[in-house]
Amino acid sequence: MMETAGGAVIIGASAGALEALSVILPKLASDFPRPILVIVHVPPDKRSVLASIFDAKCRLRAVEAEDKEPIEAGVIYFAPPDYHLLIEDTKTIALSDEDQVLFSRPSIDVAFESAAEVWGKSLIGIILTGANHDGAQGLKAVAAAGGTVIVQDPDGAYAGAMPQAALAACPQALVLPVDIIASYLQGIAA
Amino acid sequence: MTETFEKVEDIEIRLLLDALYHRYHYDFRNYAMASIRRRLRQAREQLGFQTISALQESALHDPDLLPVLLRYLTVQVSEMFRDPSYFQAIRDKVIPHLRTYPSLKVWIAGCSSGEELYSFVILFREEGLEERTIFYATDINPEALAQAESGIYDLERVRLFTENHRRAGGKTSLSDYYHSGYNRCVFDKSLRRQVVFSDHSLVTDQVFGEMQFVSCRNVMIYFDRDLQDRAIGLFKDALPRNGFLGLGAKETLRFSAHADAFRDFVREEKIYQRAGT
């Protein structure tokens, strides 16, 4: 198993997620040194195809997270539909079917807050396009724990509400267009 | 500063869980921490305590606080025929096996407020197996068990239950089984004829009989690895060779010490079969 001491990347996205993630994730090299957790709002009653889409598109392995799964560097974990995704101190996946938060399960806030506890200042939190306010409190928690916070430029986003809410909660966040977010992350690997 | 505080809070949480165990014999000490931490923070805030330690002091001295805390510590989210494809797979693939038995025992472990139980009873009635089956519905939370036994749900949830039942291949109309009024729906007491409700803990109690089917869905996600292994060990002991175990859609035996005791039966629905050992 690869070391995850280098921290982790967590990404939250909603409406327009597929396009934005398609700019970012396939750019990452096969030796990307951190795990990437992706929380996208997906309908609860459908099987999500996100993991298989990105597994085919990316040089990194993409999976739908399962409960108690050890988190490894260089793997993209998608939160499954109808479950919250949390992270244990042992760096394993913990799923939960607690109540929806802001009408969402998975909730970006819940996952980001949990990841902030585990990785602290070695976490990079990224909020992308979306039409609601989920993720704002979570990004704030990442910043409070000393992590790096990035928000997609609302002007270029498919839906600007989510990045705007994240910026309002977290004004110190780096504001970047998606292609620059991709290069930024790839820079970590270099 | 923040990091120091977080560690103090984790100490407080462990002390509170110890206190609940020693005072009331409810054992949450091996529950998955990330979710417990979140729910105890909610409890602390919503019940108006400054710290988890203050909550602990009240929990020790005020037994009336226990049922309130249990509501936070045990997650009560369920729906009838949740994941309809799971029930469809039971109907199509498991029921033909069960038909060959003269009598059946089905254990709904962690039945919470009963939605999963009624889904099973209705499915077994539709398949003509109800009369020869005893259903054991167990949970640690007495409030949840009482609600399961009452069979009363908010009427607004019934639309979802009905849609799930239809998608699960239901052969009858769900409305055959309940009557409604005052924004409630009450499920028919005939559905409970073959049901034994019982207080049972996967953490501290033992197996109570041989079962042909154990359904334990979205319960073990709240346990840590050791406790998951204990629970799966119980299911292993309860199931004879070729007995069935159903888990939640994103739960897996892959990381369990007992993985070898089971084989995939319907892989995509997390239905396992006890291997012969």
Side-chain angles (χ1 to χ4, degrees), chain A residues 28-42:
Chain A
L28 303 178
S30 57
D31 60 350
F32 191 76
R34 302 184 184 206
I36 299 148
L37 304 153
V38 186
I39 319 299
V40 175
H41 294 150
V42 278

Side-chain angles (χ1 to χ4, degrees), chain B residues 225-277:
Chain B
R225 282 278 284 278
D226 291 342
L227 186 50
Q228 270 197 355
D229 282 344
R230 185 189 194 276
I232 295 164
L234 289 185
F235 303 149
K236 179 181 139 188
D237 292 344
L239 290 165
R241 189 165 175 267
N242 294 335
F244 297 95
L245 171 64
L247 302 182
K250 297 301 156 194
E251 294 177 313
T252 174
L253 292 181
R254 216 152 35 104
F255 309 113
S256 160
H258 302 294
D260 292 344
F262 295 89
R263 57 175 171 259
D264 290 333
F265 185 72
V266 185
R267 191 156 189 257
E268 58 280 17
E269 298 303 335
K270 303 297 164 73
I271 299 172
Y272 296 88
Q273 194 170 32
R274 179 82 165 88
T277 46

Side-chain angles (χ1 to χ4, degrees), chain B residues 8-9 11-13 15-16 44 49-60:
Chain B
V8 169
E9 191 190 51
I11 295 168
E12 290 179 293
I13 289 171
L15 291 171
L16 169 64
R44 181 186 68 68
F49 291 98
Q50 287 300 310
T51 60
I52 301 279
S53 301
L55 176 60
Q56 179 208 310
E57 190 191 3
S58 285
L60 276 172

Side-chain angles (χ1 to χ4, degrees), chain A residues 64 66 68 83 97-98, chain B residues 38 218 222-223 250 254:
Chain A
E64 191 167 282
E66 284 192 309
K68 301 291 178 282
Y83 289 86
D97 62 0
E98 290 163 69
Chain B
R38 177 168 179 269
N218 300 315
Y222 298 106
F223 295 174
K250 297 301 156 194
R254 216 152 35 104

Side-chain angles (χ1 to χ4, degrees), chain A residues 62-80:
Chain A
V63 298
E64 191 167 282
E66 284 192 309
D67 187 53
K68 301 291 178 282
E69 186 165 7
I71 298 170
E72 296 178 29
V75 179
I76 305 169
Y77 298 90
F78 282 90

Side-chain angles (χ1 to χ4, degrees), chain A residues 45 47 64-70 80-84 86-89 92 94-99 101 105 110 114 117 121 144-145, chain B residues 2 6 10 32-35 37-39 41 75 77 82 85 167 218 220-225 228 248-250 252 254-255 268-270:
Chain A
D45 57 339
R47 286 180 200 274
E64 191 167 282
E66 284 192 309
D67 187 53
K68 301 291 178 282
E69 186 165 7
D82 213 20
Y83 289 86
H84 294 302
L86 297 96
I87 298 99
E88 293 291 353
D89 295 340
T92 51
L95 299 179
S96 143
D97 62 0
E98 290 163 69
D99 288 337
V101 176
R105 191 171 63 205
V110 167
S114 175
E117 304 259 0
K121 53 186 186 299
Chain B
T2 310
E6 304 299 351
D10 278 359
M33 190 66 170
S35 166
R37 192 190 272 145
R38 177 168 179 269
R39 282 175 284 139
R41 275 182 197 159
V75 173
V77 182
R82 178 174 178 186
S85 54
R167 290 175 54 209
N218 300 315
M220 288 188 292
I221 49 178
Y222 298 106
F223 295 174
D224 72 10
R225 282 278 284 278
Q228 270 197 355
K250 297 301 156 194
T252 174
R254 216 152 35 104
F255 309 113
E268 58 280 17
E269 298 303 335
K270 303 297 164 73

